Amino acid sequence: MKSQMFAIIKKDLQGITTNKRMFSTLLAVPLVLSVFIPTVFILVLHFAPDESVNLQKLLEMLPINELEEDLSLSIIGLVLNYILPIFFLIIPIMAATVMSATSFVGEKEKQTLETLLYSPLSLKEIFRSKVLASFLLSMFVSAISFVAMLLVVEAETKLTTGGFILPDMKWALILILVSPAISLIAITLIVRGSAKAQSVEDAQQRAVFLLLPVLLLLVSQFTGVLFVNVWILLALGIVCALLALWLLRKSMDDFQYEVLLK
Amino acid sequence: MNIVTLNSLSKTYPGGKKAVDSLNINLEKGEVFGFLGPNGAGKTTTVKLLNGMLSPTEGSCRIFGIDPTIAPEKLHALVGVVTEHAQMYQNLTGIQNLVFYGSVFGLSTKESEKRGLDLLERLELSDARDKKLSSYSTGMRQRLSLARSLIHRPQILFLDEPTSGLDPESAQNVHTMIRNLAKDHGITVFLCTHQLRYAQEICTRYGLMENGRLIAEGTFHNLRSSVYPGMKIKLKAQGVPSDLPCRKIGNLAYEVEIESEKDIPQIVRKIVEAGGEIYHVSAELPTLEDIYFTLTRKKEGSI
C-alpha cells in the first residue's frame, strides 16, 4: 500500500472525528445497542417474577449443551453468546454507512473530487483508501462498543446474580473474522455506490434502502449459525473475507475518471 | 524536444456536442502557452483531455511521452492543475490543505509544511495560513489553488483561468510568478485565459480557440504579421503636405498606414521639409486583443 493512501485515510477519518455532532451520533447508536439493550434484559430478568416466564422450557428447546446452575446466569450467557454477537455484525456496518455513502459523492458535491483525481494515485488506490477509512472507523466503533458492552454486562451480572459469564470462542471469531469481513463487503459496495451516485442523498438512499436490508437479512441468519457449529462460522467467515477481498480488487475495474466526474 | 503533443485531439460529448475538434499543438520546455478563447470554446475540455479526466473520441495526446488515458497517475506526479472545479477542503485551514495535498503527492508532512509555508508567503497568504478555507475570499482560494498545484514542484502547469476573481494587484503578482516559474525553473505552462491583456504580458506563444477549433497559433509576432502585415502611426502636426497618405482623425490629428517602422523617419522628414510642425508621433501596434477580435471576426466572415 502506498504511503500517499494513508494521507487520504487520515484526512477522511479526521473529517468525521472533528465533526463532534456527527461522531457522537455515530458512537451513541452502537452504544445504545450494545449497552442499553443487554442492560434492559438483565434488569427484566432480575426483577421479573420467576413464574411469569417459563425460561427453563425455553432453554431446554435450544441446542445448548452446557447450562449454568443458576437459571439467570444461563439466560445471560445465552444472550451474551448467542444474541449479542449479531449486534456486532450490524454495528460496524451502521457506523460506516454514512461515511462510506458520502465518500465519493461527498467529494464530488464539494468539488474536491477532481482535485483528488489529479493526484498520482490510481482510481483503485483512491477507492481502496476510501474503503479502508470507513472500515477503520467501523472497526473502531465496534471495538469501543464491545469493551463497553462487556464491562456493563459483567458488572450487571455480578450485581444481579453474583457470578460471571465469560464470552466464548465464537466472540473471537465474530470480532476478528466474520464482522470485519461482512463490514468490508458492505463498505466496498456502499463506496462503489457512492462513486456511481449523483448526489449524497442518492448514495445514502441506495445504501439504506437497497443494500442494508439485504445485508441485515444475511446477518440475521447468523443467529442460527451460532447455535450450530463454530466450524461453520469459521468457514462462513473465511468465505466472506475472500468475497470482500475479491470485491475490493475488482470493484473499480470498470470505472474511469469521466464516469466519476459526470 | 516536445513536452506536450496533441495529435488531431478531438472530443465529442455523449450529447453530440463536439467540444474539441482536431487539435494539433506541440509545446516545448519552458514555454508559456496562452490558450485563448471565449467561454465554451473548448479550453477546459482540452485541459481535462490532457490530464486524463476525459478520454478523446479521436486523436491522441502525450505529455512527457505519457498517454493520459493509459497512465494518468504517472502523469499527475509531473503536472500541477488549477481548474474551476478542482477545489479544496472547506473544513481545513490553508496550510492543512497544502500539507494534505503534499502528502498525497508523496512529500513528508514536514516537507509539505515547509514548502506550503513558502508558497503561502509567495502568494501573499501567510496571514490566512491558519484560517479555514470556508473564510477565504474567491481571490484567496484561487491563489491557494495555485499554491496547491505547485506543492510537488511540477514540471508542467495547466492553469485554467488562474486569475479569475483576483484584484488587479494580485493578478499581476500571480502573472509575475507564472512568468518566473517558466523563466527561472523551466516549467512549461499551459495557460487558459480570456484575459488577453495579461496573456500578452506573460505568454511566449498563443493558440486561439473558437468552437472547439484552433483558429490560429504562433508567437505574438507570427499572429500580428498574419493579421496586420503593416502598422499604423498617429501624428499630431500642422502643415502636413497633401501628398502624404494621411487620414485626418481630429484637430491636427492624423493616422498613417505604413509597412514598417523604417517608414517613420521618411514621413517625419517630409512634413518638416514642407515647413510643417510636429507635436507628436507614435507607432500604433495592434494588441493581442486587436489580433484576437480580428481573427475571430475573420473566421465568422468566412463561415
Side-chain angles (χ1 to χ4, degrees), chain A residues 9-242:
Chain A
I9 294 172
K10 192 176 149 197
K11 186 266 300 166
D12 279 3
L13 285 173
Q14 274 174 350
I16 210 120
T17 49
T18 50
N19 186 344
K20 288 198 178 75
R21 222 179 65 189
M22 171 94 144
F23 192 56
S24 53
T25 316
L26 265 183
L27 274 178
V29 179
L31 283 175
V32 166
L33 267 183
S34 54
V35 172
F36 182 72
I37 293 179
T39 302
V40 169
F41 190 83
I42 290 169
L43 293 179
V44 167
L45 197 67
H46 182 64
F47 291 109
D50 286 348
E51 60 274 16
S52 63
V53 264
N54 196 345
L55 293 168
Q56 189 66 44
K57 266 196 174 168
L58 172 72
L59 285 175
E60 280 165 10
M61 282 164 68
L62 291 171
I64 305 166
N65 302 326
E66 295 160 30
L67 286 173
E68 302 284 337
E69 278 180 25
D70 184 337
L71 183 67
S72 295
L73 216 51
S74 293
I75 297 288
I76 293 173
L78 183 73
V79 171
L80 178 67
N81 289 321
Y82 295 91
I83 309 287
L84 290 178
I86 306 305
F87 287 3
F88 284 81
L89 299 179
I90 302 166
I91 285 170
I93 300 175
M94 248 172 51
T97 304
V98 175
M99 187 173 170
S100 43
T102 54
S103 58
F104 271 97
V105 77
E107 298 249 14
K108 193 163 144 184
E109 284 196 347
K110 284 182 265 169
Q111 296 195 329
T112 50
L113 182 60
E114 195 175 317
T115 327
L116 204 56
L117 298 182
Y118 287 129
S119 72
L121 289 170
S122 68
L123 258 184
K124 272 196 173 182
E125 285 164 338
I126 296 174
F127 179 79
R128 283 177 197 162
S129 311
K130 294 277 177 195
V131 170
L132 279 177
S134 294
F135 180 69
L136 287 175
L137 176 80
S138 72
M139 289 300 108
F140 172 74
V141 174
S142 187
I144 296 264
S145 305
F146 178 72
V147 172
M149 179 208 72
L150 205 59
L151 288 175
V152 170
V153 168
E154 293 303 339
E156 288 168 351
T157 310
K158 178 78 182 160
L159 282 173
T160 55
T161 66
F164 275 114
I165 251 312
L166 288 175
D168 66 14
M169 255 301 288
K170 287 192 286 292
W171 267 110
L173 261 182
I174 293 272
L175 288 177
I176 294 167
L177 183 66
V178 184
S179 168
I182 291 188
S183 307
L184 198 55
I185 293 173
I187 291 167
T188 308
L189 292 175
I190 296 172
V191 173
R192 193 175 187 279
S194 177
K196 280 183 166 180
Q198 290 302 313
S199 66
V200 169
E201 291 79 15
D202 182 15
Q204 284 174 346
Q205 279 166 7
R206 233 183 247 244
V208 175
F209 291 109
L210 293 175
L211 198 59
L212 275 188
V214 177
L215 280 164
L216 295 182
L217 183 72
L218 289 176
V219 162
S220 64
Q221 295 309 306
F222 267 93
T223 322
V225 175
L226 288 179
F227 280 112
V228 181
N229 195 321
V230 173
W231 295 107
I232 294 179
L233 189 66
L234 178 69
L236 269 171
I238 291 171
V239 169
C240 287
L242 291 174

Side-chain angles (χ1 to χ4, degrees), chain B residues 183-194:
Chain B
K183 216 165 99 183
D184 304 338
H185 302 279
I187 294 177
T188 308
V189 182
F190 191 92
L191 174 72
C192 299
T193 185
H194 47 229

Side-chain angles (χ1 to χ4, degrees), chain B residues 7-8 12 73 82 97 140 151 173 215 218 246 273 292 297:
Chain B
N7 194 3
S8 302
T12 307
E73 64 274 14
V82 174
N97 265 301
M140 288 162 85
I151 193 89
N173 180 16
I215 56 171
C246 293
E273 280 172 1
Y292 174 82
R297 270 198 293 268

Side-chain angles (χ1 to χ4, degrees), chain A residues 4 107 111 114-115 117 258, chain B residues 11 55 76 87 89 104:
Chain A
Q4 292 103 302
E107 298 249 14
Q111 296 195 329
E114 195 175 317
T115 327
L117 298 182
E258 199 166 341
Chain B
K11 175 70 185 174
S55 307
H76 294 162
Q87 298 293 327
Y89 299 96
V104 167

Side-chain angles (χ1 to χ4, degrees), chain B residues 6 20 22 27 55 60-61 107 113 122 126 130 197 241 251 286:
Chain B
L6 282 75
V20 171
S22 306
L27 296 190
S55 307
S60 64
C61 54
L107 270 63
E113 198 170 328
R122 280 161 69 187
S126 289
D130 294 321
R197 195 169 65 79
N251 185 27

